[in-house]
Amino acid sequence: MSAEGKDTATDLRVSIAGKYMTFKLADEEYGLEILKVREIIGLMEITRVPRTKDFIRGVINLRGRVIPVVDLRLKFSMARTESTDQTVIIVVQYSMAGQDYTMGILVDEVLEVLSIGPDQIEPPPDFGSGGIDTNFILGIGKADKRVIFLLDIGKVLNAQESKHLVRLGET
Amino acid sequence: MALNLFLDELGTALASIDPAHPEAVCPLVDRLRTFAEAHPEVSFEAVLRRLATLAAGQSADAASDLKQALASLSEVGRALDTDSASTGPAEEQFSIPPWIDEPTYQEFLHTAKNSLDELESDALALEAGAPTAIDRVKRRIHTLKGEAGVVGVEDLAAVLHAVEDLLVDRHPLPLPELVDRLLLTRDWAEIAIEAYRALRKPEPRAAEIIRSLGKAAGQTAPSRRPDRRGGTTGRSLPPIPEEPANKIARDEETLALLGEFLGESDEGLANADQTLIDIERDGVDAEKVNSLFRIFHTLKGVAAALDLRQITSLAHTSETMLNLVRQGEIELRGPVLDLVFDATQMMGRMLAELHRAVDFAVDVSPVGGLQTLLDSINSVVAGKAPTASPIAVHPPETRLGEILSLNYQIPAEAVQAALESQKTSHRKLGEELIAQGLVQPKQVAQAIRSQSAGSDAASTGGKLRDTIKVDLGRVDALVEIIGELVIVETMVSNAPDIVALSSPKVRTYLSQLGKITRDLQDVGMRMRMVPVRAVFQKMVRMVRDLSRKSDKQIQLLMSGEGTEMDRSMVEQVADPLVHMIRNSVDHGVEGPAERIAAGKKALGTIRLSAYHMGGSVIIEVGDDGRGLHREAILRKAVAQKLVEEDSKLSDAEVYNLIFVPGFSTAAQVTEISGRGVGMDVVKRNIDQMRGRVAISTVPGQGTTFKIMLPLTLAIIDGMLVACGEERYIIPTLSIIESIQPDASMLVKFAGRGELVNVRGEVLPLMRLDRLLSVRGAKTDPTTGLVVIVETLGRKVGLLVDEVVTQQQVVIKNLGTGMQNIRFVAGAAILADGHVGLILNMEEIGNLTPDGRTIEAKAGLVGTG
């Protein structure tokens, strides 16, 4: 790695260091930038919206405001989230291409708020041309012996897809 | 030299510069520089920059640069006018010094005002001979001076310092004189504090007061509003060219300026009318005249910058007359007052015309009567007494309403109705009538005049209610929060735990909470409401132009322009109205010869009225023309295969055919009143607003279109239907009926689609569960329910499991990224707090039985 490359990597670590809210999907641990988390609400009845993508579970009433809820497991091609006592909806707020988005993310369990320093961060894994897109991962955080995927939530619900949560092919 | 006077002169000088010789601005630039140095508080930068380019001969387009300079200049003028809006044109802005925060500043002003009152009683005690009073006065003034210095209100501090000097002078003034000065100071300080509170520097300034403190006492405070301007009269604008300039520049900047100008001017004119009514009732005072003057002055400045010559000339002429009033040369009463009324009315018409021209991207048409009005004003300016229009003198006990109905043919019922609604609106009668658009402000003023011609006791005219400008986003946010409150309130009241409670107290509280919530919702909704006046006024001109073009004589009568509806709907309703009125003119009202032959007056009438009924706004467009020709419509519909030849249609069904797309634009039926241009547009627009339109017509006597619209776009009546596990909301307005079909009513169509035969009318049957991939819904139509819905003139049956309830819902969008979902128009929070989806009936109604859209296949209605 060239000196310059090292600097870039350091810059990256410094820039993504900070507080993360960690949560679980199946056995995996993920982190969301705390500044993008608006609140955590218990699971409530989700109204299915016809003719939308599978990972859109539907819409909920957030104190009078209607927001979409995304099943992150489905989004990551895991099995559909089943509701348990621990299942919650994390309400995130982010902007992408000048649009503000407020969405709910359905996760299995919320763990904690973790401060992750630059020295605890590894750059996103490179799967080479294996076809796995890691674009939406900011980096990998290490705390104790755990590995936490730090998500760029805007990219997870990726700009293009956020815009087209509606399945266009179906119209 | 006073700022405004200078701005005036500079503006006029600039306007008269020939773009071919831009170097003529050189002397102006020098003057402006000197002046700008003397007045560092005003920013002339923009103007100077433009002018410098011109002066240096570097301008590529001198004419446009000149215009820009004028615009910047009037910007400066406007900024000044705004700063000093309430007390005079020459006052300067005061800004709180950086070391003081606003609460401290306000606190100081508050306590200062209190200690002024104490100062007054101390001063009076001093005069009465109280021994310790002089010390108290000294202490107070000293403290006040110190505080004033700290918060940076220098004028006040300086005056108090001067008074303090008087008090400690070794050769004190005789007591009465000293007290006079103290009181003079106190009075001025009170004015000053008010000025500071409004963040302006006090007027007159400290130096003036200090001077009068030194002069012989016993005088009252100098006049608060010395006349600082004068020279307006002598000047004249460049003469109006023979051919009026009716082209409007349409570059983005100009359009933005125009929009702003129109908005501000409307407000200004409304204020002017109110001021005029006040003058009529309470008499003239300098402040009112000044505020009138300012309004016309501002209009003139901006209009000149925008090159609106007619408006400029009217504003200039009126301003000239008002200036003479300010100088006391003309008395503002009677016919002169009428002239100002006429001027504001004319101005209003010209602005409306300008608005129309901008909106429709056409040239400005000259407004009739301008020259006559200008001539009358000019003859007043030239010193000729205007002719008074005769006024009937009514005894003072005559009610304003009676005078209005006697003199202006305002229907007694309308006055009665206004008196009724006055009870709830708490407006004065005159104001109520103006608000409803039934009378002109001038008429109220004249009525007041004739009322007080018998006595001075009358005062029934009104004052426009104070308004504030609020950011629309905040209003929307408030309305949204109220919506949430309404939902939560419903949820709480219907919560099973609460319902199970038998405590009468809790029930009382809950019903109070419910009532307050509804009231709040009502108030919130009304905040977004505006009168339909703006839209109605656009139609006046259109009728005039259209009737002239088609050689017909048509008058447009309007009523209820003050009827309020949601702001966004007022804009949306304009389009359908244009189409309907166009139709009435083109096809409804006959030419004069035909009318006379039919035994009618040659002058045709189109009535445009708006009123509230229940929870709806009704807008009616009626004409006294030839009416719809049932047979002809039917013939044409049969020819276009829209209906079966022998089908028995009700009148309403026949008339509704004119809304079917394709009906109007197809073959011309010129020998009868085909009446169809753009009617499908009308229908679609009204559907979009979730409204309905009904037609009533009497052959030979005319046609009336009645548009029923919801009060607001935010709330609809919906029917909650169940389908499998899910629930959806169908807007009630599009539902005709719901039926439980038996097997004999169901028909298969081409092996795929399904149809339902409702009393001989065969309609496509849509299954909601299939459209929306709902699981677990009833599959046998005879066990479910078919909701017959009508959209865009087309009926379909929609199969659902059952109807759950009917309720009003607040429409919400589905959140960012979830727009344009097929068949879904939006969401709503249901009584149990869950989200329900509102169906888009237009999209569903646009499907053929086999699930494809019909698009251009309008011919499907009634076949099968």
Side-chain angles (χ1 to χ4, degrees):
Chain A
M1 198 180 266
S2 70
E4 203 178 84
K6 207 163 203 166
D7 283 350
T8 323
T10 317
D11 283 352
L12 176 85
R13 288 194 179 106
V14 173
S15 73
I16 62 179
K19 287 192 167 179
Y20 285 82
M21 160 157 293
T22 61
F23 60 88
K24 264 186 142 173
L25 292 182
D27 296 330
E28 294 163 12
E29 214 173 299
Y30 291 87
L32 274 176
E33 296 158 89
I34 196 78
L35 289 177
K36 295 194 174 153
V37 176
R38 208 174 106 173
E39 62 186 296
I40 298 169
I41 50 179
L43 191 58
M44 57 169 80
E45 193 179 302
I46 302 173
T47 304
R48 186 185 72 96
V49 181
R51 308 176 85 93
T52 49
K53 294 209 171 195
D54 290 340
F55 65 86
I56 310 263
R57 285 286 286 266
V59 289
I60 55 165
N61 164 19
L62 181 69
R63 288 186 304 279
R65 196 169 159 198
V66 177
I67 61 165
V69 175
V70 170
D71 187 334
L72 214 49
R73 283 171 56 135
L74 284 178
K75 176 71 199 171
F76 292 155
S77 312
M78 303 183 207
R80 179 184 166 94
T81 308
E82 296 306 324
S83 57
T84 67
D85 288 351
Q86 257 92 42
T87 315
V88 292
I89 298 170
I90 304 178
V91 179
V92 293
Q93 202 164 24
Y94 61 93
S95 30
M96 199 97 195
Q99 277 264 48
D100 286 331
Y101 292 88
T102 305
M103 298 215 180
I105 304 176
L106 200 58
V107 303
D108 287 336
E109 186 184 353
V110 164
L111 298 172
E112 62 188 323
V113 175
L114 213 57
S115 267
I116 299 183
D119 52 330
Q120 293 170 282
I121 292 172
E122 292 288 323
D126 188 356
F127 290 96
S129 52
I132 299 175
D133 183 11
T134 55
N135 188 24
F136 56 85
I137 295 181
L138 290 169
I140 294 177
K142 293 175 299 182
D144 306 327
K145 285 179 182 163
R146 292 142 57 199
V147 171
I148 303 155
F149 296 99
L150 307 178
L151 296 177
D152 183 337
I153 194 62
K155 283 188 186 151
V156 172
L157 310 164
N158 135 358
Q160 228 175 2
E161 243 161 20
S162 287
K163 263 191 205 156
H164 302 284
L165 291 177
V166 181
R167 219 191 290 178
L168 289 173
E170 264 204 15
T171 54
Chain B
M1 181 186 267
L3 256 177
N4 277 281
L5 181 55
F6 177 76
L7 287 181
D8 271 4
E9 288 196 4
L10 192 65
T12 319
L14 269 182
S16 57
I17 283 178
D18 181 353
H21 302 284
E23 61 283 359
V25 299
C26 291
L28 293 179
V29 175
D30 292 341
R31 273 190 68 193
L32 184 57
R33 283 226 174 87
T34 326
F35 195 80
E37 272 163 30
H39 292 263
E41 72 279 5
V42 187
S43 164
F44 286 106
E45 230 172 276
V47 191
L48 267 173
R49 222 178 319 118
R50 302 261 186 214
L51 290 185
T53 326
L54 280 166
Q58 292 163 345
S59 165
D61 178 357
S64 132
D65 272 4
L66 263 176
K67 212 157 106 189
Q68 301 284 7
L70 258 174
S72 316
L73 188 66
S74 60
E75 201 60 60
V76 174
R78 238 184 312 163
L80 283 174
D81 273 0
T82 329
D83 288 345
S84 56
S86 62
T87 25
E91 286 180 11
E92 292 162 30
Q93 204 173 353
F94 175 79
S95 49
I96 304 176
W99 61 87
I100 295 294
D101 60 349
E102 216 202 340
T104 319
Y105 178 77
Q106 294 295 350
E107 176 67 28
F108 160 74
L109 292 179
H110 184 72
T111 49
K113 192 140 191 240
N114 287 343
S115 57
L116 283 184
D117 291 341
E118 285 162 10
L119 179 66
E120 184 175 68
S121 57
D122 285 341
L124 295 173
L126 179 66
E127 194 167 34
T132 55
I134 183 79
D135 292 329
R136 283 208 303 274
V137 169
K138 275 184 200 165
R139 253 199 325 271
R140 266 191 223 294
I141 288 187
H142 187 74
T143 316
L144 205 52
K145 179 187 90 172
E147 287 174 349
V150 169
V151 299
V153 290
E154 283 157 10
D155 279 48
L156 185 58
V159 170
L160 291 169
H161 182 76
V163 179
E164 204 178 12
D165 281 350
L166 285 180
L167 287 169
V168 298
D169 200 308
R170 245 177 266 179
H171 308 286
L173 290 162
L175 197 58
E177 278 192 33
L178 187 63
V179 172
D180 274 345
R181 276 159 214 219
L182 280 173
L183 292 177
L184 165 68
T185 309
R186 186 225 162 271
D187 289 346
W188 175 82
E190 192 168 18
I191 295 167
I193 286 171
E194 280 315 312
Y196 282 126
R197 204 189 289 282
L199 295 183
R200 290 191 318 267
K201 293 192 174 168
E203 185 72 13
R205 300 296 298 269
E208 221 167 307
I209 293 298
I210 295 172
R211 226 177 300 126
S212 49
L213 282 175
K215 270 191 271 168
Q219 289 172 351
T220 44
S223 120
R224 266 179 73 188
R225 208 173 319 287
D227 194 330
R228 299 196 160 199
R229 280 193 272 180
T232 330
T233 335
R235 288 197 325 264
S236 63
L237 281 182
I240 314 168
E242 280 301 301
E243 201 165 316
N246 356 335
K247 295 262 186 260
I248 315 168
R250 287 180 199 282
D251 55 290
E252 217 163 280
E253 197 179 344
T254 315
L255 282 181
L257 283 174
L258 273 174
E260 209 175 295
F261 171 61
L262 286 170
E264 284 174 6
S265 315
D266 282 351
E267 205 173 300
L269 286 182
N271 287 342
D273 278 342
Q274 188 50 51
T275 310
L276 289 169
I277 293 181
D278 288 347
I279 290 177
E280 180 67 63
R281 197 184 54 217
D282 306 333
V284 189
D285 68 46
E287 197 170 332
K288 289 185 191 129
V289 175
N290 273 329
S291 90
L292 281 177
F293 183 88
R294 262 201 308 276
I295 291 165
F296 281 101
H297 182 70
T298 312
L299 274 172
K300 182 182 90 172
V302 187
L306 290 167
D307 205 20
L308 306 165
R309 305 232 176 126
Q310 293 196 332
I311 293 177
T312 314
S313 84
L314 176 58
H316 174 73
T317 315
S318 314
E319 188 192 10
T320 308
M321 182 167 76
L322 287 169
N323 196 51
L324 290 177
V325 172
R326 294 204 317 179
Q327 291 164 353
E329 289 174 29
I330 302 179
E331 218 178 331
L332 187 55
R333 56 193 290 271
V336 179
L337 195 61
D338 283 350
L339 273 180
V340 186
F341 265 121
D342 290 341
T344 63
Q345 207 180 346
M346 175 64 70
M347 192 62 89
R349 282 171 55 200
M350 292 200 291
L351 290 172
E353 168 57 22
L354 176 62
H355 206 266
R356 188 195 69 97
V358 172
D359 278 357
F360 294 93
V362 294
D363 292 343
V364 180
S365 318
V367 174
L370 176 61
Q371 202 49 52
T372 325
L373 178 62
L374 287 178
D375 291 347
S376 331
I377 298 179
N378 279 328
S379 70
V380 171
V381 171
K384 291 179 201 130
T387 42
S389 47
I391 296 171
V393 174
H394 292 275
E397 60 269 24
T398 319
R399 306 294 300 260
L400 184 70
E402 291 168 27
I403 300 175
L404 281 170
S405 34
L406 274 172
N407 288 8
Y408 305 106
Q409 284 83 46
I410 311 295
E413 307 86 71
V415 173
Q416 203 54 44
L419 281 169
E420 279 302 312
S421 61
Q422 187 191 8
K423 282 176 194 156
T424 48
S425 69
H426 306 293
R427 290 189 253 200
K428 290 183 176 169
L429 178 62
E431 190 186 334
E432 189 67 42
L433 288 169
I434 294 172
Q436 296 191 0
L438 287 166
V439 295
Q440 295 291 331
K442 179 180 168 184
Q443 296 173 339
V444 173
Q446 285 184 339
I448 293 172
R449 194 183 309 159
S450 62
Q451 202 176 19
S452 47
S455 138
D456 292 327
S459 87
T460 329
K463 201 178 194 174
L464 280 182
R465 272 180 299 183
D466 285 342
T467 51
I468 53 166
K469 275 189 180 167
V470 182
D471 181 0
L472 193 61
R474 287 192 203 171
V475 176
D476 288 345
L478 180 66
V479 172
E480 194 168 309
I481 293 171
I482 293 174
E484 289 172 27
L485 180 69
V486 171
I487 292 158
V488 174
E489 192 270 331
T490 325
M491 279 161 62
V492 169
S493 306
N494 295 333
D497 296 353
I498 300 251
V499 173
L501 276 180
S502 57
S503 155
K505 248 191 195 164
V506 171
R507 279 181 192 284
T508 318
Y509 296 155
L510 278 178
S511 75
Q512 275 175 9
L513 178 66
K515 185 182 177 306
I516 293 170
T517 315
R518 296 307 142 227
D519 287 354
L520 193 59
Q521 189 179 22
D522 201 40
V523 171
M525 228 149 68
R526 253 185 279 154
M527 282 173 56
R528 285 185 52 95
M529 309 263 263
V530 294
V532 292
R533 179 173 296 112
V535 174
F536 273 27
Q537 269 164 2
K538 281 185 198 163
M539 306 301 157
V540 179
R541 188 71 210 195
M542 202 181 75
V543 169
R544 176 180 293 198
D545 290 354
L546 284 176
S547 59
R548 208 161 287 172
K549 234 179 258 170
S550 56
D551 280 329
K552 292 174 182 173
Q553 298 170 17
I554 302 173
Q555 59 172 343
L556 180 68
L557 297 181
M558 299 194 289
S559 66
E561 300 107 295
T563 309
E564 292 183 332
M565 60 197 283
D566 195 274
R567 187 175 166 277
S568 55
M569 296 181 70
V570 169
E571 285 156 20
Q572 278 189 45
V573 86
D575 234 23
L577 279 185
V578 166
H579 282 292
M580 293 168 99
I581 289 186
R582 234 171 221 288
N583 261 284
S584 286
V585 175
D586 282 354
H587 305 294
V589 179
E590 316 89 327
E594 192 182 336
R595 287 184 68 89
I596 289 168
K600 300 192 220 178
K601 276 194 292 186
L603 179 68
T605 303
I606 294 177
R607 272 171 215 281
L608 187 57
S609 54
Y611 53 94
H612 286 283
M613 198 173 74
S616 310
V617 180
I618 316 280
I619 296 180
E620 284 184 2
V621 180
D623 63 54
D624 60 352
R626 49 172 81 96
L628 290 178
H629 197 308
R630 185 192 151 101
E631 290 314 310
I633 294 173
L634 207 50
R635 253 203 324 272
K636 192 170 146 196
V638 171
Q640 285 191 284
K641 298 206 166 52
L642 286 170
V643 290
E644 294 286 289
E645 200 152 336
D646 52 355
S647 51
K648 305 226 178 321
L649 295 179
S650 68
D651 283 357
E653 277 170 317
V654 173
Y655 299 140
N656 274 322
L657 283 169
I658 67 171
F659 293 123
V660 174
F663 183 84
S664 48
T665 48
Q668 302 291 311
V669 186
T670 41
E671 78 276 17
I672 50 106
S673 60
R675 204 195 256 274
V677 184
M679 291 315 268
D680 56 328
V681 178
V682 169
K683 177 81 170 140
R684 193 167 313 137
N685 275 328
I686 292 168
D687 280 349
Q688 264 170 18
M689 287 187 274
R690 290 190 298 281
R692 287 186 79 106
V693 55
I695 307 171
S696 59
T697 182
V698 179
Q701 287 180 31
T703 310
T704 300
F705 289 87
K706 189 167 170 183
I707 307 173
M708 285 155 276
L709 295 167
L711 269 184
T712 158
L713 288 177
I715 295 176
I716 57 161
D717 268 321
M719 192 176 267
L720 190 64
V721 298
C723 183
E725 297 275 282
E726 302 179 4
R727 288 171 302 174
Y728 290 91
I729 298 159
I730 302 177
T732 311
L733 263 175
S734 45
I735 298 180
I736 295 173
E737 60 180 328
S738 37
I739 53 162
Q740 202 154 18
D742 56 47
S744 66
M745 295 164 74
L746 300 164
V747 192
K748 287 269 182 192
F749 165 72
R752 287 201 60 191
E754 288 176 287
L755 299 166
V756 56
N757 183 335
V758 186
R759 293 184 294 276
E761 196 175 5
V762 182
L763 307 174
L765 180 68
M766 312 287 172
R767 288 169 181 261
L768 192 59
D769 61 333
R770 288 197 195 151
L771 287 179
L772 306 178
S773 355
V774 179
R775 273 183 232 150
K778 292 176 184 166
T779 49
D780 180 1
T782 55
T783 60
L785 203 65
V786 173
V787 181
I788 311 290
V789 293
E790 180 180 11
T791 58
L792 304 172
R794 195 166 172 270
K795 288 185 195 172
V796 297
L798 191 62
L799 178 65
V800 299
D801 286 3
E802 58 174 339
V803 168
V804 181
T805 176
Q806 196 163 345
Q807 70 179 111
Q808 278 204 337
V809 294
V810 180
I811 302 171
K812 312 241 164 199
N813 67 35
L814 287 173
T816 343
M818 298 277 281
Q819 284 86 29
N820 304 324
I821 294 174
R822 198 142 182 246
F823 304 136
V824 176
I829 314 287
L830 304 176
D832 59 4
H834 297 145
V835 180
L837 301 181
I838 302 167
L839 295 179
N840 185 335
M841 296 320 292
E842 280 165 50
E843 282 182 349
I844 292 176
N846 202 25
L847 292 170
T848 54
D850 57 0
R852 287 189 302 228
T853 58
I854 49 165
E855 295 307 346
K857 297 202 267 173
L860 253 166
V861 181
T863 56

